[in-house]
Structure formats: C-alpha cells, structure tokens
Amino acid sequence: DFGGDFLIQSGGTINRNISFYGSLNFFVDGASDDIDVLIPRMHVMYSPFKNPLLHIKAGRFEPRVLGVSNFRTITPAFGILNRTIGDNEWNLEPYQQGIELSGIFGKGRLAYSAGLVEGRGNKQNDFKDFYGRLESKFGGMRFDGTKNSEPFTGLISDTWKDNSLTFGIFGYHGEADVKRTEEEDVEFEGVNSVSSKNSIVRISHTPGLGGGDESEEDDGLTKSDRFFKVGADVNWFMEKWNVITGYALQHHDSPLADDPEQSIAEHQIFFETDYAISHWFTPTIRYEVFLQEQGGEMLQRIQPQLNFMLGDVIHLFVSEDFVKDVGDSGFNAATGIAGFDIAF
C-alpha cells in the first residue's frame, strides 16, 4: 500500500512581542485511499519580556508535556503520545486547544510549561484539562540556545554535538465524556489498547498523528471519566549518541462506557537510541511497553529504523514495527514502511 502526507506550514512575527504559527496536513491512507485533512497547529504567541521568562500561547498546538513530540522526530510515532485507553478517545497529540504558558529561567538551565486546554479526541465537552512540565538541563547548550550566555557562531561544528543531560517531570489531569461505540472492532498495528472487557479500541484516523475529531452518533451510553497522566523523561546526548527514555502512569477512573465501575491504570515506558554514524546515515531503534495493572496484560513494540539524508532537504527511511501482544509467544512483524520526506 502506498500512502503519504503533505504538510503546509507558515509562521512569522507581527512585531517583537507577537508571533504566529500554523500548519495544514493532508494525509493519504495507503490502505483505503481516504484523504484526511487536519489542522494540527494554529496559534499565536505573546512574549511580553525581552528575556524568555514568559511566553503565552493561545490556539491549537501540541501541549508541551513530554520531552518528545511526534512533530519533532524522524522516527515512528510515539505510542505514549497517541495511545488511548478504553472508550476514552483522549490522547496528547496531534493537538489540544487552549492556552499554554512557558518560559526559561535559572540562567537558561530550567524550563517550564503549564496549560489549560480542552480534552481533544472525545465528543466536545465543557471540561477543562490542565497540565504542567518542569525540566532541567546539564551541559551543552542552554534552553535559550546559547552557551555560557554567548550565542553560537552558526557553524555546524558548534551545534551538532550537544553533550548534555536533560531531566523532566510532567503531569496532566483531565475529564471527558466517553461512550461505547457499536462499530465492528478494528485493530491498529502496535498501538491498540488492551483490556479484558474492551480488547480493541479505535486509536487514530491518521496513523502517527493520533485520533481525529470525528465522533459517532450518541448511543445513550455516555458518561464522565476522570483521568491523569504523570511521569518523567531523560534525554542524554553524548558525542554521536542520543538516548531518550520516559515513563508515564496513566490512570482512568471509568473509561469503559458499558462498565462504569471499572478503572484502568497503565504503565507506559519507552526507550530510544540513535547513533550518527555520519552526517547522512543515522540508525535508530525504539522499545515501548504498555502494561495494564488490571490482569497484567502487556503490549510491547520494537521499532528499528534506518535514516538517510540526501543533502539538506531529503530524508529517506526504512522501518519495521515488531509487536508482541497479549497471548503472543514472541514478536511478530506488524508494519514495514519505506518512504521519504522532502522539505522545501
């Protein structure tokens, strides 16, 4: 199957204090030839001070909760960002709508973000979710892009090696109306939620970007589910090596519309490393595990990928998704992808 996406992005500044950014994504599903159109990001940002102490962002954006984002990677989508639990269709990406405050302090070594957003992914509701993140960086460039308060010269040799260690903690609290869909169950390779009462869950309309806004007609089984996601992540750069790992506990009070007394808690872990063999070749491998406390059901994924850069604008990649689901004796090849990205 052949699929792909086309992304139009635009951003700029109105004056020293106000900037804007937006993107329009056209995605072609290789299996069905359906075309999805998303506006994953559309926001303005106000920076009242000359220093980066405070930025105020309003609109549609990916919340700064974890230290990784599916918009800022050349590897497959992170399950910890686009995974859903039970009948609650919430996930962190591709976007949330609301307000986010962020900034840098502590001599450029500490950064924060905090937001108040609507819980995208479910039927529209009046609930307001909130989240926060605090991170600290040791070594390398400061969060403001300088080193020892002096800007870099702009030479590649200044920036391509950032020997540093970044540690972050985060939390997200939300509430959503959930309902049981009566559609025939459909599996999505490697990212379907696993539950003894609701084993197959719709994960996304757009693979790699998370759930869409579409909602089914109300079947009368709608109720509220309170949930939270807390955890930490570490990002380590050492010469040509990069290692990033993270953990999250995601807990839902009542995510199953047909079983309001059932809560679900899931432990989510990822580990990714890459090595820049040269400026044009970087192999990457990621391991993810999702373990639900109810029944001890576990889903594991291994995703190796080879990345090739041709000049400054062409990225070629080959990847495979190996999945070990409940009841499997070993890992099975789920989805192989070969493709390219062009930026201009």
Side-chain angles (χ1 to χ4, degrees):
D1 297 327
F2 292 92
D5 62 331
F6 180 71
L7 179 65
I8 301 174
Q9 304 180 85
S10 178
T13 57
I14 298 176
N15 54 40
R16 185 185 66 83
N17 303 101
I18 301 176
S19 59
F20 64 91
Y21 178 81
S23 62
L24 181 64
N25 184 282
F26 300 87
F27 178 83
V28 180
D29 189 330
S32 64
D33 292 331
D34 291 339
I35 299 178
D36 286 336
V37 181
L38 295 176
I39 304 178
R41 292 177 286 182
M42 184 73 69
H43 60 261
V44 296
M45 187 165 67
Y46 176 63
S47 303
F49 310 120
K50 291 184 178 181
N51 59 47
L53 181 62
L54 175 63
H55 304 293
I56 304 172
K57 183 187 300 182
R60 178 178 289 189
F61 50 85
E62 73 277 22
R64 178 68 173 173
V65 178
L66 278 82
V68 296
S69 170
N70 291 328
F71 287 100
R72 295 186 297 276
T73 182
I74 59 174
T75 57
F78 287 89
I80 199 171
L81 294 173
N82 66 5
R83 184 171 171 79
T84 61
I85 302 294
D87 297 315
N88 189 332
E89 298 179 1
W90 173 87
N91 49 19
L92 282 170
E93 293 193 359
Y95 61 82
Q96 303 286 342
Q97 296 181 154
I99 298 175
E100 181 181 270
L101 309 181
S102 63
I104 301 170
F105 62 104
K107 297 183 178 180
R109 294 294 174 177
L110 296 173
Y112 73 91
S113 60
L116 183 68
V117 295
E118 297 175 345
R120 187 215 59 80
N122 294 279
K123 180 180 177 181
Q124 194 71 25
N125 56 65
D126 295 329
F127 303 120
K128 295 296 182 288
D129 301 349
F130 58 90
Y131 62 88
R133 174 179 175 83
L134 180 65
E135 56 188 333
S136 178
K137 186 174 184 180
F138 305 90
M141 290 187 294
R142 305 187 338 177
F143 284 123
D144 59 10
T146 67
K147 190 171 185 178
N148 299 324
S149 299
E150 295 296 331
F152 285 96
T153 64
L155 299 177
I156 294 178
S157 59
D158 281 340
T159 58
W160 85 281
K161 293 181 181 180
D162 184 38
N163 297 320
S164 64
L165 179 67
T166 303
F167 175 77
I169 56 175
F170 57 85
Y172 186 108
H173 182 277
E175 184 173 358
D177 286 332
V178 300
K179 60 185 178 61
R180 177 65 169 163
T181 58
E182 300 299 332
E183 293 181 334
E184 179 181 356
D185 292 336
V186 179
E187 288 199 39
F188 289 81
E189 293 89 343
V191 291
N192 59 287
S193 294
V194 178
S195 166
S196 60
K197 294 182 178 295
N198 189 25
S199 58
I200 305 300
V201 178
R202 183 185 69 78
I203 296 301
S204 66
H205 291 287
T206 306
L209 287 180
D213 282 332
E214 299 88 337
S215 60
E216 309 299 328
E217 292 184 2
D218 192 351
D219 57 10
L221 296 175
T222 300
K223 62 185 182 59
S224 176
D225 172 36
R226 292 185 179 182
F227 60 93
F228 67 83
K229 189 181 192 111
V230 295
D233 51 60
V234 178
N235 194 350
W236 182 29
F237 284 94
M238 183 179 61
E239 295 297 317
K240 297 181 179 182
W241 282 103
N242 177 216
V243 176
I244 184 167
T245 183
Y247 164 81
L249 169 63
Q250 187 165 328
H251 182 277
H252 292 254
D253 288 346
S254 184
L256 304 179
D258 54 2
D259 189 356
E261 303 302 320
Q262 177 67 61
S263 64
I264 294 180
E266 183 174 84
H267 302 273
Q268 306 172 345
I269 301 171
F270 75 90
F271 176 89
E272 179 178 290
T273 183
D274 61 68
Y275 183 75
I277 295 177
S278 71
H279 67 281
W280 60 270
F281 178 46
T282 303
T284 300
I285 187 167
R286 182 192 302 154
Y287 171 74
E288 293 181 304
V289 59
F290 306 94
L291 174 63
Q292 290 190 358
E293 293 182 358
Q294 292 72 18
E297 296 175 332
M298 182 167 62
L299 171 70
Q300 299 178 74
R301 305 172 68 187
I302 297 177
Q303 299 169 300
Q305 179 166 307
L306 302 178
N307 301 284
F308 305 89
M309 293 298 301
L310 302 182
D312 297 328
V313 298
I314 301 177
H315 166 229
L316 305 178
F317 63 91
V318 179
S319 67
E320 181 62 73
D321 191 6
F322 298 94
V323 178
K324 183 179 180 182
D325 211 333
V326 177
D328 293 341
S329 59
F331 283 88
N332 300 306
T335 305
I337 300 176
F340 63 91
D341 301 314
I342 300 178
F344 54 88

